[in-house]
Amino acid sequence: MNYPYLPDGRTILYVPADNAFMQEGRAYALAHSLDDAVKTGSVIVKDGVIIGRGANGSDYHKTNVCERVKQKMPTGQGYELCEGCHPKNHSEPRAVNDAKTQGHDTSGADLYLFGHWWCCEPCWNAVIAGGIQNVYLMHGSERLFNREHPDNILGKW
């Protein structure tokens, strides 16, 4: 798989859509994501228990034009240029922050990401800083959640 970004020494693992933790990521995304086109949810799991949850989005794009769109930035670049796209609004760092806010140690935990087919550099940085061991995506995510793929399901839930 040729991801837009993957840090050295890291891999992405895959689970079926019916995996319980992936289903929890999906449910959290559908309930809490503020991005109607790309609903993303992350759960952090340690010792078989969910210790953190996060969903993506902000209200910024409801009243403001995306700076990245105006500049025709490709996916994975320039998130810091737009308040609505800023990495602080991504599900992965939100899940890490949620776990830590609740007093959990995320070292050695796993992150299950629903709604994307890769993690951007700022999200990987949050995952690595949190000591997350593995990142799991859903089988078929490179097709289902990739804007470029003709069979994607983005915005169709």
Side-chain angles (χ1 to χ4, degrees):
M1 179 72 58
N2 189 19
Y3 304 104
Y5 179 78
L6 185 67
D8 289 339
R10 288 298 192 137
T11 61
I12 293 178
L13 304 172
Y14 291 86
V15 296
D18 63 356
N19 174 280
F21 299 126
M22 190 59 68
Q23 284 296 306
E24 180 61 30
R26 178 183 185 275
Y28 200 80
L30 294 177
H32 299 282
S33 175
L34 297 176
D35 187 334
D36 291 333
V38 184
K39 291 187 176 294
T40 304
S42 293
V43 295
I44 296 179
V45 178
K46 188 167 184 178
D47 299 324
V49 176
I50 296 174
I51 61 171
R53 292 174 174 84
N56 68 325
S58 78
D59 289 333
Y60 181 84
H61 293 132
K62 290 182 180 178
T63 56
N64 298 280
V65 175
C66 177
E67 192 60 37
R68 294 177 62 245
V69 170
K70 286 196 292 188
Q71 294 186 30
K72 297 183 173 129
M73 308 248 2
T75 188
Q77 296 181 16
Y79 291 127
E80 69 284 349
L81 299 175
C82 177
E83 178 61 27
C85 298
H86 196 281
K88 70 182 178 186
N89 296 320
H90 294 194
S91 71
E92 302 95 308
R94 283 184 171 173
V96 172
N97 290 337
D98 180 55
K100 290 184 175 198
T101 298
Q102 295 182 58
H104 295 289
D105 177 11
T106 56
S107 297
D110 296 323
L111 184 137
Y112 291 78
L113 172 60
F114 174 85
H116 273 316
W117 67 280
W118 66 289
C119 295
C120 67
E121 185 174 359
C123 288
W124 268 114
N125 291 342
V127 163
I128 292 167
I132 303 295
Q133 183 175 359
N134 297 303
V135 171
Y136 290 91
L137 298 178
M138 191 171 78
H139 285 298
S141 61
E142 70 282 355
R143 173 178 46 85
L144 298 170
F145 306 119
N146 183 347
R147 290 179 200 258
E148 305 298 318
H149 199 284
D151 296 332
N152 78 65
I153 62 168
L154 298 173
K156 301 173 187 170
W157 6 74

